[in-house]
Each structure stands twice: as C-alpha cells, then as structure tokens.
Amino acid sequence: MGKLIFIHVGPAKTGSSAIQKFMLKNPALLRELGIMYPRHTLMESGVSVGNYNAIYPKNKIGKPSTNKIANLITTFEKSDARVLLLSSENFFGPINELAEVIPQAKFIFYLRNPLTLAESLYNQNVKNLGETEPFEIRTRRPNFGTIGHLRDFVKKHGSENLIIRYFDKSMFHRGNIINDLLFTMGIDPKENIPNQKVNLAYTLEALEVKRFLNHFNLNPYCDYLLNNLLQQNQDGTTSYSLLKPEEFDKHLQHVIDEIQLFFKEIPCDQSEAFLKTIRQTKQKEYIPQTLSVEKLAEIRDYICRKNTPLYYKLCRLIEIQDEQSTDDKVKTTAFIEKYNPQKRLLYHLKYISDRALFINRLRINKFLS
C-alpha cells in the first residue's frame, strides 16, 4: 500500500484536543505505527490550533503556503512513515481550498448530534468567548452550518475523499476517539489506547461563575488562568442540560429530520446506526441557569486558594468596572468579600511576574516547535 495523507478537520467539540495531545505526547508509538505528525505548540490546558501553521502562514490570514505544503510532502515521501496526519479544527472552514492544493488527501470529519453539540458549544463560548447571556437555541435548525458546509464540499469535490465518522462513544472503534481515528486511517495498534480527556466542560456552578465574571473586561492572560482553574474543578454538577424538556424534544425532532435528509444526499457507512443513537438521545437533567451566593462563594474560595494573585486581579477588575458591567450587586459584593486593597500591590506584582514567565515559556515553545 502506498503512502496516504489524512487531514482531520474536527469540527469543534468533537475530540480534536484529545487527538492532538495524544499525537504530540506519543512520538515513539507514532513511529512504530508508521505515522508522521508534525510538531506544534500545545497550551497547558491541552488545547491548540493543531497543525494549522504547518500549512498556513504563521499569524497571518491568507491562502495555504505552497512552499510549506511542498516541503511537508517531500519530507513525508522521504520518511519511513506510511501515513501523514494533519489535524486542526481550523481546517474545516477552508476544507474546499485544501482539497484543491492537496488533492490526494483524505478528509476525516466527525459528525456529532447537533443538539448535544449546541450545549457543548455554549459551554465553550462561556469559557473562551466571553458569553454572558443564558443558553438559548434561537433557530429551529441548531448548528446545521457544518452539515451545509459538507454538502458544499461534496458538490465541488465529490465524496470519495471525505470520511465521515460519528462522535458517539457507542460507535467509536474500541470505545474512544483515538482508537477510532487510528482505525479510520487503517491502523490498529496491538494494545488498546486508553481514553484521553482534554478540555473538560465546566460544571454548572463554574459555568455560571464564569458567565458572571465575563461581564468584566478580562484580559487574555487573566481569562486563560481562570479558564484553567475552573476546568480543573470538577467538584459540582457535571451532568446537566440547559434546555427546558419541551424545547429539547422539539429540537431533537428537527435534528432527526435534518440528519435523515443529509444521509439521503450523502450516503455514509453506519448512517442508520447513528440515526438510531440520535433517536434514542436522553436528555440530561434540566437545571435552570441560576447561581446562588453560596455556590459563588465556594468557587471564589477555590480561586483564591489556588491562585491568590488571580483572585486579586479579578477583584480589581470588578472594583474598576462594577458600575457599568453588571447590575448584580449581591454577587459582586460576595465575590470581592475576601479582597484586601492593602495587599493589592503585593499580589499585582506576583501576577505580573507570573505573566512574564508565562509569555517567555510560550516564546520558547514556539521556537522549539
């Protein structure tokens, strides 16, 4: 069998971070399996843009770099590897142009139930995009943009080089996405790869605290630290749904109708099995989005205990912006209860020092990659 190129395009919230972290952390196993996976930087949280910069110019918006692609493929052809794997959620948007510049590539896409995806994306938006509003599905077609993009790809390039897999534990080869991706590329390790958990969802309590703090203008470093802390804290409500049950049932039927139409247009392996899993979707317990002062205080104490300079930075931001940022004075008062302005300078200097070390570490990692 000749050499093969696979481009994993995600999309978002379908295990990309777990895949990329595994590939970076297991170079010896990849060599043994005949996989070439270009190195890239990885944040401490395990999140990254994957191999995007292996094809596109660094820190630039533009077309794929023909020089980078040519050098990458030449290196691959000269190597002992049988498979070249590239992975990035950022590849999904420009999938059409990638098919034109790397026509021999096969694209791997993980299809997730759009209804559960909508809640997961909301969690991510609160984490990273400053979302402050409660969860709501404002359309009868939740998150079908990705499906429309796939339709467009098939119209332009056909379905021969598109591999659709299903983001559902019951349908993963050997029970998790790492094994499933390897299997999809024709690779089946002798030993089972254990499940990888990266970029965990917030507990409901952490979600509501972060949504509250998003009202204040958090700088990127502050937001990064806070996100890592809240993600690590799994002491709370980890299984929940933010959709009212009647809304869930209504949108689930829309999802079933849309997926059925999609499979009629683009026949896929195991499509009936995936449709069955969607029909059998059981909603997690619905819990309204409220945050008691007691729960806020628990997470406030957790933040203060784990990273006091960060807590003081957050309190200072609330102190500066309180008047224009939120009307919830009870929560703002509760959050800054342990804040001592006389110690602000001490913790501010520690925060600045930690930030400088963090930036230097990022620069070193980028240089090494």
Side-chain angles (χ1 to χ4, degrees), residues 115-116 118-119 135-137 142 240-252 283-289:
L115 192 51
T116 60
E119 295 212 48
F135 177 67
E136 180 184 3
I137 295 180
Y240 57 90
S241 173
L242 304 176
L243 265 181
K244 294 179 180 178
E246 60 271 20
E247 289 288 308
F248 185 91
D249 293 339
K250 178 183 70 175
H251 287 299
L252 181 60
Q283 183 182 16
K284 296 176 181 178
E285 181 185 1
Y286 165 66
I287 304 178
Q289 282 183 266

Side-chain angles (χ1 to χ4, degrees), residues 194-256:
N195 191 31
Q196 312 283 314
K197 290 188 177 181
V198 180
N199 196 20
L200 296 175
Y202 283 167
T203 64
L204 179 60
E205 295 79 12
L207 182 80
E208 290 304 289
V209 168
K210 181 60 162 64
R211 189 164 71 89
F212 161 70
L213 291 172
N214 282 345
H215 285 92
F216 306 95
N217 188 25
L218 308 183
N219 63 61
Y221 178 60
C222 181
D223 196 60
Y224 168 79
L225 292 178
L226 180 60
N227 180 34
N228 280 356
L229 275 186
L230 294 180
Q231 197 166 257
Q232 292 167 19
N233 182 15
Q234 293 294 301
D235 184 17
T237 307
T238 56
S239 180
Y240 57 90
S241 173
L242 304 176
L243 265 181
K244 294 179 180 178
E246 60 271 20
E247 289 288 308
F248 185 91
D249 293 339
K250 178 183 70 175
H251 287 299
L252 181 60
Q253 188 54 55
H254 293 157
V255 165
I256 293 169

Side-chain angles (χ1 to χ4, degrees), residues 36 62 65 75 79 84 102 116 134 137-138 147 190 205 235 263 280 289 295 327:
M36 175 180 164
S65 169
T75 302
S79 74
L84 169 62
I102 315 177
T116 60
I137 295 180
R138 299 180 178 89
I147 291 178
K190 297 176 182 177
E205 295 79 12
D235 184 17
F263 285 144
Q280 294 175 344
Q289 282 183 266
K295 290 296 181 183
D327 293 327

Side-chain angles (χ1 to χ4, degrees), residues 92-288:
F92 182 61
I95 188 173
N96 285 308
E97 69 179 12
L98 289 176
E100 293 169 3
V101 295
I102 315 177
Q104 68 272 43
K106 294 183 180 295
F107 294 87
I108 302 173
F109 174 92
Y110 275 88
L111 181 62
R112 181 174 179 177
N113 181 338
L115 192 51
T116 60
L117 176 61
E119 295 212 48
S120 184
L121 284 173
Y122 175 77
N123 197 291
Q124 190 74 8
N125 289 345
V126 173
K127 278 186 188 179
N128 298 326
L129 298 180
E131 179 64 73
T132 59
E133 295 298 318
F135 177 67
E136 180 184 3
I137 295 180
R138 299 180 178 89
T139 171
R140 70 180 298 274
R141 296 160 60 85
N143 289 290
F144 288 127
T146 54
I147 291 178
H149 199 42
L150 285 181
R151 286 194 182 106
D152 183 55
F153 176 87
V154 171
K155 286 178 182 176
K156 292 179 179 178
H157 305 286
S159 59
E160 294 78 14
N161 286 342
L162 177 64
I163 302 171
I164 295 178
R165 299 292 293 177
Y166 306 105
F167 189 79
D168 189 281
K169 185 177 180 180
S170 67
M171 298 188 69
F172 287 150
H173 180 72
R174 288 186 173 180
N176 68 56
I177 197 166
I178 307 297
N179 289 306
D180 195 80
L181 181 72
L182 294 174
F183 176 77
T184 300
M185 297 188 297
I187 299 167
D188 211 1
K190 297 176 182 177
E191 296 184 7
N192 189 43
I193 305 296
N195 191 31
Q196 312 283 314
K197 290 188 177 181
V198 180
N199 196 20
L200 296 175
Y202 283 167
T203 64
L204 179 60
E205 295 79 12
L207 182 80
E208 290 304 289
V209 168
K210 181 60 162 64
R211 189 164 71 89
F212 161 70
L213 291 172
N214 282 345
H215 285 92
F216 306 95
N217 188 25
L218 308 183
N219 63 61
Y221 178 60
C222 181
D223 196 60
Y224 168 79
L225 292 178
L226 180 60
N227 180 34
N228 280 356
L229 275 186
L230 294 180
Q231 197 166 257
Q232 292 167 19
N233 182 15
Q234 293 294 301
D235 184 17
T237 307
T238 56
S239 180
Y240 57 90
S241 173
L242 304 176
L243 265 181
K244 294 179 180 178
E246 60 271 20
E247 289 288 308
F248 185 91
D249 293 339
K250 178 183 70 175
H251 287 299
L252 181 60
Q253 188 54 55
H254 293 157
V255 165
I256 293 169
D257 294 342
E258 188 72 17
I259 295 291
Q260 282 179 320
L261 179 60
F262 175 74
F263 285 144
K264 285 181 180 178
E265 297 175 4
I266 305 174
C268 304
D269 293 341
Q270 295 184 291
S271 58
E272 282 304 316
F274 185 63
L275 260 173
K276 182 179 179 181
T277 65
I278 291 180
R279 290 191 184 100
Q280 294 175 344
T281 301
K282 301 296 182 184
Q283 183 182 16
K284 296 176 181 178
E285 181 185 1
Y286 165 66
I287 304 178

Side-chain angles (χ1 to χ4, degrees), residues 42-77:
L42 188 71
M43 299 293 282
E44 291 179 12
S45 61
V47 177
S48 76
V49 297
N51 301 121
Y52 186 78
N53 292 326
I55 290 181
Y56 284 86
K58 278 191 176 183
N59 303 320
K60 293 180 181 178
I61 298 174
K63 297 292 183 181
S65 169
T66 53
N67 287 337
K68 283 189 172 186
I69 292 171
N71 291 336
L72 185 62
I73 292 178
T74 298
T75 302
F76 172 52
E77 293 293 345

